[in-house]
Amino acid sequence: MKYIIIGASAAGLACAEQIRKEDKNGEITVITKEKYLPYSRPSISYFLKGAVKESGIYLRKSSYYEASGIDIVTGTQVRSIDRKAKTVKAGRKTYSYDKLCLCTGSKPFIPPMENVSGKINALTFLDLESAGIIKKTADKKTRAVVIGGGLIGMKAAEGLSKICRSVDVVELSPRILPSILDEKSAKSVKKYIEEKGHIKFHLGQTVTRAGSEGNRITSVTLKDGKELPCDLLILAVGVRPETELAEKAGLEVNRGIVTDPGTMQTSDENIYAAGDCAVSVDMLDGSRRVIALWPNAVNQGIAAGSQMSGGDIRITSSYPVNAIDFYGLRICTCGLINVQDKKYTDKIIRSGSSYKRLIFEGSRLVGYVLINSSANAGIYTSLIETKTDLKTLEGDLSGTPDPFIFGKAERNKRMKGALDL
Amino acid sequence: MKRIYAIEELCLNCRLCEVYCKSAHSQSKDIIKANKYEEPAPVSRVTVYGDNFLSAALNCRHCDDPKCVKACITGAMTKDKKTGIVYVNEDKCIGCMTCLAVCPYGCIKEGKKAVKCDLCRNDDEPACVKNCPNHALIYAEPGGEEK
Ligand SMILES: Cc1cc2nc3c(=O)[nH]c(=O)nc-3n(C[C@H](O)[C@H](O)[C@H](O)COP(=O)(O)OP(=O)(O)OC[C@H]3O[C@@H](n4cnc5c(N)ncnc54)[C@H](O)[C@@H]3O)c2cc1C
Ligand code: SF4
Ligand code: SF4
């Protein structure tokens, strides 16, 4: 069997490794347009601020791939897929496949702004290459402006604040981290970040145009007319699924690549898709959307790899789960957190700098937002994933969850791994 | 592989396991220094939950198909192929705590990096098991003899 995987990141590597587990002899080729071996994308902001070295950013040792019989072709963009001939074209080469997996991830979404495109100091913050360029060029004199106050923009801002003179964040929404925080919690997080990171926020704002000298941006103008000096502009408004190859090949695409939610098979039986480029079905509300997070990409890669090599691992539960920290402030979120429907209720527990919001649907937990109160969060996550009826629990959920919230039978299973000792 | 199993019927809630875990994972390896003076203070990887009426010491299960490893966003969390021990590579870990957010048992502790049980990798028997005065923690192969 010949397996081709396009994209060598969370989903692509997980897919390749799963294939190798189930098919010892198949030929596995992973093609990536990036010039690096698989690395941790989320680590790039830590690399920028110097918390991890470049050597610590790679997911596996370089000798691992040869030893595992996984061929990683770097610096090579796949241009097209020929579904009839079962080949992909990359550079001057044509690779044939029996099974193909698209793990092409995300591409940046850049809103229209005057005089920004093509400027050398306007960069996205999605890969190690851009992080490397920023690290080389930014210093104590740099005044950075980040467009986008979501997870990626805020991580970029945090990294930059350690090396730059000033960091301004421009966000369209009236609050920061709009996808994971509600209004109240966003306010306190914002205050904390302003104090710790000396970051200035411009909320409810957009950048309309940039001022420049030659091919460098020197300032940006906000919607309200305010002008900010700018030596480095980071474009981090958002990402979209990278579906160009799939679309050109005539696969079904609806925002992301459409797959069977269990097997990750696309509308072509020999082609699979996994990760940020694919549509997930959220188990909690049945919604079809892209869940652009690392653990989801890995799970989908594993399922796709298994199915491609004749195994039977399926996706049984997809939901977002994310943990992130800003200057030591921990934010942990899972499940449905921005739901309006009346069928959901929530409970907020505050004490000191910690904030905990649990979201329920009837007697089930369906989501949480934990700020500085992440202890044992995984127990909540497992209650969400297993759709546990909270009425069957013996303890209360508002404190730190522990094994004693479960009745004896379940507790024993958890403590002894269901062993009879 | 050998794992640690907690027997709630025998646990005294004395928390000695936590004390010995801290010193085993401290710089000084000295029980007094580790528990009182060391900076940064070592974190116990085992936690006793419950009260004087009913308690048990919870440790990482070193799962066969560990959720923490699959979810780790940097490749820092790995399961050793030979020993089965699930451990953190501190050069890679960024301390995001995604692993903590998915461990269904609550076995990862917060720190600058993820903190978890490594079964005292270089010793024959984990410190918590060795020092439990009432044998409420046993280190055994599933189905095997108690050690
Ligand atoms: C700064 C930052 C911080 C983040 N922090 C977190 C976090 O804390 N937690 C979390 O869960 N997630 C985080 N994410 C999101 C996470 O990185 C993604 O969800 C994850 O990388 C998705 O993996 P993937 O394999 O689907 O795709 P990607 O990682 O996007 O990889 C896709 C790869 O495919 C390649 N490719 C695309 N098209 C082609 C082609 N035609 N030919 C060859 N190669 C191609 C791309 O170059 C890329 O290397 C973060 C992302 C960023 C940018
Ligand atoms: S930390 Fe949790 S998920 Fe990871 S191996 Fe231990 S018990 Fe399993
Ligand atoms: S805290 Fe460390 S080990 Fe845990 S998921 Fe993050 S990088 Fe991986």
Side-chain angles (χ1 to χ4, degrees), chain A residues 5-14 30-36 38-46 73 75-80 89-90 102-107 125-127 151-156 236 239-240 242-245 274-278 290-298 300-301 321-325, chain B residues 71-73 94 96 98:
Chain A
I5 298 164
I6 308 175
S9 184
L13 181 60
V30 190
I31 307 172
T32 170
K33 69 179 173 209
E34 292 192 69
K35 58 185 187 202
Y36 311 96
Y39 64 89
S40 164
R41 199 167 302 288
S43 291
I44 63 172
S45 69
Y46 294 81
V73 182
T76 305
Q77 180 166 7
V78 175
R79 303 270 170 203
S80 62
K89 261 213 177 83
L102 302 173
C103 301
T104 47
S106 296
K107 62 177 178 208
F125 192 65
L126 289 179
D127 52 32
L151 288 169
I152 296 176
M154 288 306 303
K155 269 294 164 195
V239 292
R240 296 283 181 271
E242 175 56 270
T243 57
E244 198 189 325
L245 274 178
D276 281 14
C277 64
V290 173
I291 300 179
L293 290 169
W294 189 275
N296 192 57
V298 169
Q300 292 187 342
V321 56
N322 184 229
I324 198 158
D325 80 290
Chain B
C72 173
I73 65 177
I94 55 175
C96 66
T98 306

Side-chain angles (χ1 to χ4, degrees), chain B residues 42-98:
Chain B
V43 178
S44 173
R45 290 109 210 268
V46 54
T47 309
V48 180
Y49 292 107
D51 50 29
N52 284 336
F53 178 64
L54 191 62
S55 61
L58 183 67
N59 253 315
C60 167
R61 309 313 317 141
H62 297 275
C63 303
D64 290 331
D65 187 20
K67 286 192 185 246
C68 60
V69 172
K70 283 195 280 187
C72 173
I73 65 177
T74 65
M77 189 71 83
T78 39
K79 184 170 173 74
D80 190 290
K81 274 217 178 86
K82 281 198 204 102
T83 62
I85 294 174
V86 176
Y87 69 98
V88 185
N89 175 342
E90 300 209 342
D91 291 338
K92 284 187 173 176
C93 177
I94 55 175
C96 66
M97 299 298 147
T98 306

Side-chain angles (χ1 to χ4, degrees), chain A residues 11-295:
Chain A
L13 181 60
C15 178
E17 292 183 334
Q18 189 61 36
I19 293 173
R20 183 48 82 229
K21 268 191 199 157
E22 305 201 26
D23 178 349
K24 299 279 178 255
N25 305 314
E27 236 176 76
I28 306 173
T29 309
V30 190
I31 307 172
T32 170
K33 69 179 173 209
E34 292 192 69
K35 58 185 187 202
Y36 311 96
L37 287 172
Y39 64 89
S40 164
R41 199 167 302 288
S43 291
I44 63 172
S45 69
Y46 294 81
F47 167 67
L48 179 62
K49 68 180 184 191
V52 273
K53 294 194 212 112
E54 194 188 318
S55 61
I57 213 171
Y58 293 98
L59 295 172
R60 305 286 181 265
K61 288 192 186 124
S62 54
S63 59
Y64 163 86
Y65 299 102
E66 207 187 316
S68 315
I70 295 172
D71 189 16
I72 312 260
V73 182
T74 55
T76 305
Q77 180 166 7
V78 175
R79 303 270 170 203
S80 62
I81 303 168
D82 183 338
R83 287 165 54 191
K84 260 212 196 113
K86 296 220 270 179
T87 57
V88 304
K89 261 213 177 83
R92 280 207 209 120
K93 270 179 117 172
T94 303
Y95 297 82
S96 64
Y97 65 83
D98 298 302
K99 299 282 176 194
L100 173 70
C101 192
L102 302 173
C103 301
T104 47
S106 296
K107 62 177 178 208
F109 166 69
I110 300 170
M113 287 169 285
E114 220 179 292
N115 199 30
V116 167
S117 162
K119 295 291 180 293
I120 57 164
N121 57 344
L123 293 163
T124 56
F125 192 65
L126 289 179
D127 52 32
L128 187 51
E129 183 171 26
S130 56
I133 296 173
I134 296 167
K135 203 173 162 81
K136 258 194 220 131
T137 51
D139 58 28
K140 284 274 163 259
K141 284 181 286 190
T142 307
R143 292 158 302 179
V145 176
V146 177
I147 311 182
L151 288 169
I152 296 176
M154 288 306 303
K155 269 294 164 195
E158 185 194 34
L160 287 167
S161 74
K162 306 259 161 133
I163 54 175
C164 294
R165 174 164 145 204
S166 67
V167 180
D168 286 78
V169 173
V170 182
E171 164 63 43
L172 175 65
S173 153
R175 60 176 195 262
I176 63 163
L177 299 168
S179 68
I180 59 168
L181 295 179
D182 50 50
E183 223 166 279
K184 277 190 194 142
S185 54
K187 251 194 202 138
S188 56
V189 172
K190 173 171 166 268
K191 196 163 154 248
Y192 180 88
I193 293 177
E194 279 167 341
E195 283 166 10
K196 288 278 169 177
H198 307 291
I199 289 175
K200 242 194 249 143
F201 290 99
H202 307 270
L203 301 183
Q205 287 296 328
T206 52
V207 167
T208 52
R209 63 177 308 279
S212 60
E213 266 168 36
N215 56 4
R216 293 187 71 84
I217 290 172
T218 52
S219 69
V220 293
T221 308
L222 307 187
K223 193 174 68 182
D224 65 358
K226 191 173 190 172
E227 198 179 293
L228 305 173
C230 174
D231 310 304
L232 172 65
L233 183 64
I234 303 295
L235 308 164
V237 169
V239 292
R240 296 283 181 271
E242 175 56 270
T243 57
E244 198 189 325
L245 274 178
E247 269 168 83
K248 276 201 304 197
L251 298 173
E252 192 186 339
V253 172
N254 185 354
R255 274 175 292 177
I257 303 170
V258 176
T259 65
D260 175 284
T263 62
M264 305 314 294
Q265 191 177 47
T266 65
S267 47
D268 179 323
E269 61 171 355
N270 295 312
I271 305 181
Y272 293 72
D276 281 14
C277 64
V279 179
S280 295
V281 180
D282 190 321
M283 63 169 272
L284 298 168
D285 63 358
S287 63
R288 285 170 184 276
R289 60 203 170 82
V290 173
I291 300 179
L293 290 169
W294 189 275

